[in-house]
Amino acid sequence: MFDYHTVTRARRALTVLCLGTVAIFTGASASAQADGWTLEPDARVELGIVSAEAATRDEQIIVDGDAITARAQVGVDFEDEDTRFRLEADRIEVFRLGEGRSDSNRDRITATFEQELSNDWDVQVRGRYYDDLVTAESSDTDELQGSVRVSYEPTRANRFRVRGTWRDREYDNRADLKTTGEGPRVDAQYRHRFGRYNYLTFDLRAESIESDDPDRGYSRESAKASYTQPITPDLRVRPAIELLKTRFDGRLTPDGDRRADELIVPEIELLWWPDKWRVEAEAKYIFSSSNQPTREREGYRLTLTVGYVF
């Protein structure tokens, strides 16, 4: 496992380095070129509102009630025709509405390398650090992860992707001592392109975490299908449905069985992207079943975000 005290110090230093690097590049030239290489800084700010009667842990934020969210992201790309390096930092702040509900935030730093191998194949290597990440097993997780993604696109209409990821996690257990977990995740995706912004996409995922903490180990499989339909050049709609099955290693039901949850989540998303604005609205309904009676719940989740890309 990683030394997370060292990682915390490194994360802070890397955040400063990332922000400082982007500022320097922005102050210079966004189109710096040398031997075919280009340097492109970018930034994004976003405000949103969430209203949720039931919540899903989505590796970003978890909200059960109403909240306002704010997000800021900065990044820089260094690339030529076949190769791309990217450094990125972003932060989400969640301001929960209502008495007795505490605010939260999530930080993320990402370094990515992508290489086009041929007209059909490309590979991506990515490293990430999360602070205060929401995960399936905990609402306060620090994570280091490394992943490799391979893409195969034999025709413009068909694209296949597989990503393998390893996660090392540390959990903040409030008054108790911190505990750790680790494990793999595998993602597979097929996307069929009918035309510009017109896609049919299938996603499969299998993941697990092993931990000496009986509350943290779990395994999960999920499947999702989505369809993106353009309405105008700037407006498109995306209906989707997702199935998630999760089994916890050490969380037991009153009958002594391992807790097992199942979620079915139909959703519809509306995306309006005029010029550099990003307006996105999403409506979900979460159907949840479990052999743990207290986890039987269902309800809606509505999200509206407005962002601007620099």
Side-chain angles (χ1 to χ4, degrees), residues 135-253:
T135 57
E137 73 278 26
S138 174
S139 60
D140 194 343
T141 305
D142 294 341
E143 177 177 295
L144 274 174
Q145 65 167 239
S147 71
V148 177
R149 187 194 74 191
V150 177
S151 300
Y152 174 55
E153 192 170 355
T155 66
R156 189 82 181 273
N158 298 286
R159 189 186 71 188
F160 303 85
R161 278 183 170 172
V162 177
R163 181 188 295 274
T165 305
W166 184 262
R167 290 94 41 91
D168 271 10
R169 291 175 169 175
E170 183 178 68
Y171 308 108
D172 187 345
N173 297 321
R174 303 297 185 262
D176 296 331
L177 293 176
K178 293 183 177 181
T179 55
T180 60
E182 61 182 359
R185 185 179 74 205
V186 178
D187 295 85
Q189 182 190 84
Y190 168 69
R191 190 193 73 179
H192 184 78
R193 182 181 186 275
F194 299 101
R196 187 173 183 265
Y197 299 132
N198 188 195
Y199 309 117
L200 179 63
T201 307
F202 299 96
D203 291 280
L204 297 174
R205 173 179 290 182
E207 60 181 302
S208 65
I209 288 290
E210 292 187 1
S211 175
D212 292 333
D213 185 339
D215 289 333
R216 304 308 179 198
Y218 77 96
S219 61
R220 169 182 278 182
E221 295 83 40
S222 65
K224 184 175 183 178
S226 64
Y227 175 71
T228 305
Q229 173 64 52
I231 300 173
T232 71
D234 297 329
L235 179 66
R236 46 196 178 273
V237 64
R238 180 184 297 150
I241 188 167
E242 185 173 20
L243 170 66
L244 303 95
K245 293 188 175 183
T246 309
R247 294 167 301 283
F248 293 92
D249 296 339
R251 302 187 190 185
L252 303 180
T253 69

Side-chain angles (χ1 to χ4, degrees), residues 42-46 71-74 278 280 307-310:
D42 60 81
R44 175 171 175 158
V45 293
E46 182 180 282
R71 179 179 180 181
Q73 175 183 302
V74 292
R278 301 289 184 265
E280 301 175 0
Y308 188 81
V309 178
F310 297 90

Side-chain angles (χ1 to χ4, degrees), residues 295-306:
R295 302 301 302 179
E296 291 278 354
R297 62 185 65 181
E298 66 178 68
Y300 63 84
R301 176 168 172 156
L302 307 175
T303 306
L304 175 65
T305 60
V306 178

Side-chain angles (χ1 to χ4, degrees), residues 32-38 78:
Q33 296 187 1
D35 298 328
W37 289 84
T38 63
F78 186 53

